[in-house]
Amino acid sequence: ITRFLACNYLLYQFGHFVIISGIKTCVLTNNWTNDTGKIFKSFLSLFHYFDEVFESCKLGLSKPDPDIYTYVC
C-alpha cells in the first residue's frame, strides 16, 4: 500500500507541475454510458484536472480504433 500511495503522490506532484506550467492536458477513456462502478466514479472525480476529456461512449468510437486518436489529435 505504501508503494501505491507513493506512486500516486508522485503522479499528483507531476500533474500539479503540468497544470501550473500552463501545459494543456487531456484524457481519453474507453467507457460505456452505463459506467456506474466505484472505480469509474472515482475516475470521474479527476476529470476537472484536465482541459479536455474525451469519452469513447460519447464519441461513438473506442480504443484501439485509429479514428479515435485522429479525432482527439
Side-chain angles (χ1 to χ4, degrees):
I1 294 177
T2 303
R3 187 187 237 177
F4 175 76
L5 293 176
C7 178
N8 281 344
Y9 183 70
L10 288 173
L11 287 172
Y12 171 79
Q13 284 182 315
F14 178 73
H16 182 70
F17 170 78
V18 168
I19 290 169
I20 64 172
S21 297
I23 298 170
K24 298 292 182 191
T25 60
C26 73
V27 64
L28 169 60
T29 180
N30 250 0
N31 62 352
W32 298 271
T33 55
N34 64 349
D35 272 340
T36 56
K38 184 178 179 181
I39 293 173
F40 186 74
K41 284 182 181 180
S42 64
F43 185 63
L44 282 175
S45 70
L46 301 175
F47 280 7
H48 71 278
Y49 289 107
F50 297 94
D51 296 298
E52 295 283 341
V53 176
F54 298 95
E55 297 178 76
S56 61
C57 67
K58 293 179 181 175
L59 299 175
L61 299 164
S62 62
K63 296 184 272 182
D65 183 338
D67 289 339
I68 198 167
Y69 301 105
T70 302
Y71 179 86
V72 169
C73 291

